[in-house]
């Protein structure tokens, strides 16, 4: 499969070297470069449709050039590159892009903060997280545009996981905060470039991944190199965002800002149903991985550890305590609401 990375390596004049070289566009066309955390196969679902929609509607007024994981800068440098203006916009979670804000610890998969994908937009749009994220990123020259849900976080491994004991010593590719939490159960977090993960599992450098749900495992090829999928998850939904360099955002006319927001919302909506349906379908009909489960009574110890982890994070600062308090109050309300919001 021809990827953008291969194109950039082989083309005489790469897109990265000449992003404005688009003869069909008018000379006054606004051009942005947006880099996502996702590789090409995943980006086909999590962002390609939204950017294609934006470019079609905006036409000669504005075009966004999309770059995939690590194409301009490594994912861990995305924030700094956006802040400096090397990249105009980013799709990522706070954790992966190494945000310098105190919110970084809540990016990606904050253990058990959500149980279902709808929890994420509700927390941001109805429980005050949007205002917190907007304020904190404005302080560092970045526009927080919107937040949305991705898939839940599960283990996909070469060897079966049927108990917490089976997690011990497993070298796993995961998010920084998730890795910090899981290390107490003997998991060894490993940080590698996203595009190297499949080979690292094949060569034995990794024992598995705790980065996604089963939809993503199949989509990006990890289901081809892992044998087992653990049905217990440490978070019901990944929280990801669209960000932009504040100066570049403020330069946009209001209608183009609105269009960009609308396309981001369309992206969130697409992922909402794509992941939700895919998770169920591949558990039932998928043929590449065998499902395993840690018994509920044993997994309850992991959930209890998450509550202690929340308190540890809350003790680090007033802002972190404010976010943790929202998570606690939200989950308490969902528990009281009962089915279908929460079970048990």
């Amino acid at each position: 499969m021809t990827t953008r990375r291969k194109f950039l390596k082989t083309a005489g004049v790469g897109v990265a070297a000449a992003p404005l070289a688009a003869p069909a566009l008018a000379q006054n066309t606004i051009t942005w470069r947006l880099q996502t955390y996702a590789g090409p196969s995943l980006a086909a679902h999590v962002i390609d449709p939204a950017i294609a929609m934006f470019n079609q509607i905006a036409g000669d007024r504005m075009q966004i050039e999309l770059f995939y994981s690590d194409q301009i800068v490594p994912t861990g440098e995305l924030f700094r590159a956006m802040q400096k203006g090397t990249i105009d916009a980013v799709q990522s979670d706070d954790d992966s892009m190494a945000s310098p804000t105190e919110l970084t610890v809540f990016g990606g998969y904050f253990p058990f903060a959500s149980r279902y994908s709808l929890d994420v937009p509700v927390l941001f749009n109805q429980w005050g997280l949007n205002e917190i994220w907007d304020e904190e990123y404005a302080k560092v020259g970045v526009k927080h545009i919107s937040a949305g849900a991705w898939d839940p976080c599960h283990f996909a491994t070469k060897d079966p996981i049927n108990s917490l004991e089976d997690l011990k010593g497993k070298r796993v590719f995961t998010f920084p905060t998730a890795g910090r939490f899981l290390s107490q159960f003997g998991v060894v977090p490993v940080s590698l470039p996203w595009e190297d993960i499949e080979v690292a599992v094949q060569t034995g450098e990794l024992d598995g991944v705790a980065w996604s749900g089963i939809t993503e495992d199949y989509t990006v090829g990890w289901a081809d190199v892992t044998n087992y999928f653990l049905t217990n998850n440490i978070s019901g939904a990944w929280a990801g965002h669209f960000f932009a360099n504040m100066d570049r955002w403020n330069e946009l006319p209001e209608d183009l800002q609105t269009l960009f927001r609308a396309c981001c919302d369309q992206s969130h909506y697409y992922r909402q149903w794509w992941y939700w349906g895919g998770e169920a379908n591949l558990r039932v009909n998928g043929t590449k991985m065998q499902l395993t489960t840690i018994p509920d009574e044993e997994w309850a110890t992991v959930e209890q550890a998450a509550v202690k982890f929340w308190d540890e994070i809350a003790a680090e600062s007033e802002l972190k305590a404010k976010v943790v308090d929202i998570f606690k109050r939200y989950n308490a309300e969902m528990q009281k609401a009962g089915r279908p919001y929460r079970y048990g």
Side-chain angles (χ1 to χ4, degrees):
M1 180 176 63
T2 301
T3 64
R4 281 176 177 267
R5 177 174 289 278
K6 185 180 295 184
F7 173 78
L8 292 176
K9 288 181 178 178
T10 58
V13 180
V15 176
L20 306 186
L25 301 181
Q27 288 188 349
N28 61 348
T29 300
I30 299 169
T31 57
W32 271 20
R33 300 201 300 178
L34 186 156
Q35 184 171 316
T36 176
Y37 76 99
S41 57
L42 182 60
H45 294 281
V46 302
I47 192 168
D48 278 2
I51 299 305
M53 179 186 297
F54 180 92
N55 288 340
Q56 180 180 2
I57 297 172
D60 278 351
R61 294 189 62 202
M62 181 173 176
Q63 290 289 292
I64 297 174
E65 179 68 35
L66 178 60
F67 295 83
Y68 300 145
S69 177
D70 304 320
Q71 280 197 326
I72 300 178
V73 298
T75 298
E77 298 176 15
L78 278 176
F79 177 85
R80 295 299 184 189
M82 172 175 52
Q83 189 182 44
K84 291 189 299 183
T86 305
I87 299 171
D88 303 299
V90 163
Q91 181 199 40
S92 179
D93 66 280
D94 318 75
D95 215 7
S96 297
M97 71 176 187
S99 164
T101 71
E102 291 187 34
L103 301 174
T104 301
V105 70
F106 302 110
Y109 295 116
F110 192 65
F112 298 101
S114 63
R115 294 299 177 98
Y116 307 113
S117 56
L118 277 174
D119 289 336
V120 173
V122 171
L123 279 162
F124 274 87
N125 294 309
Q126 295 186 345
W127 283 76
L129 293 191
N130 260 337
E131 290 76 10
I132 294 173
W133 259 249
D134 290 352
E135 182 177 348
E136 292 305 306
Y137 277 99
K139 293 177 183 177
V140 291
V142 167
K143 175 64 178 177
H144 173 251
I145 297 169
S146 66
W150 275 249
D151 50 341
C153 184
H154 292 260
F155 284 89
T157 53
K158 294 166 71 173
D159 299 322
I161 305 296
N162 293 299
S163 69
L164 293 181
E165 184 68 23
D166 293 334
L167 291 175
K168 292 183 178 178
K170 292 292 188 292
R171 294 160 298 177
V172 173
F173 174 62
T174 190
F175 290 83
T177 299
R180 174 179 167 184
F181 172 68
L182 291 170
S183 62
Q184 65 186 290
F185 302 102
V187 172
V188 181
V190 178
S191 178
L192 290 170
W194 188 91
E195 65 173 9
D196 295 341
I197 302 309
E198 186 173 346
V199 172
V201 175
Q202 288 177 303
T203 61
E205 186 177 356
L206 288 174
D207 297 306
V209 297
W211 181 272
S212 68
I214 198 168
T215 305
E216 197 159 312
D217 291 334
Y218 273 75
T219 301
V220 305
W222 295 340
D224 297 323
V225 296
T226 56
N227 303 313
Y228 298 93
F229 180 84
L230 182 65
T231 60
N232 312 77
N233 70 59
I234 65 165
S235 180
W238 188 74
H241 311 261
F242 285 95
F243 302 93
N245 174 280
M246 185 68 80
D247 290 338
R248 294 308 304 272
W249 176 259
N250 290 335
E251 290 169 2
L252 289 184
E254 186 175 352
D255 63 330
L256 288 180
Q257 290 180 350
T258 300
L259 174 60
F260 189 78
R261 286 183 183 277
C263 291
C264 290
D265 285 344
Q266 175 63 25
S267 176
H268 295 321
Y269 172 67
Y270 181 110
R271 288 189 309 275
Q272 195 87 55
W273 60 258
W274 181 67
Y275 276 122
W276 184 258
E279 297 300 301
N281 176 55
L282 289 171
R283 284 193 187 199
V284 175
N285 301 306
T287 59
K288 295 181 179 180
M289 292 190 290
Q290 182 178 334
L291 304 184
T292 64
T293 301
I294 296 175
D296 289 345
E297 59 273 15
E298 188 175 2
W299 191 248
T301 64
V302 181
E303 297 183 349
Q304 292 162 9
V307 176
K308 294 180 181 178
F309 184 76
W310 287 15
D311 290 337
E312 291 174 14
I313 299 301
E316 293 178 355
S317 76
E318 184 178 341
L319 178 64
K320 291 178 181 178
K322 183 177 180 180
V323 176
V324 168
D325 178 65
I326 290 174
F327 286 146
K328 285 185 175 181
R329 289 189 291 108
Y330 174 76
N331 278 280
E333 183 165 300
M334 296 300 104
Q335 195 69 33
K336 291 177 181 177
R339 299 170 186 264
Y341 297 94
R342 293 292 186 270
Y343 293 86

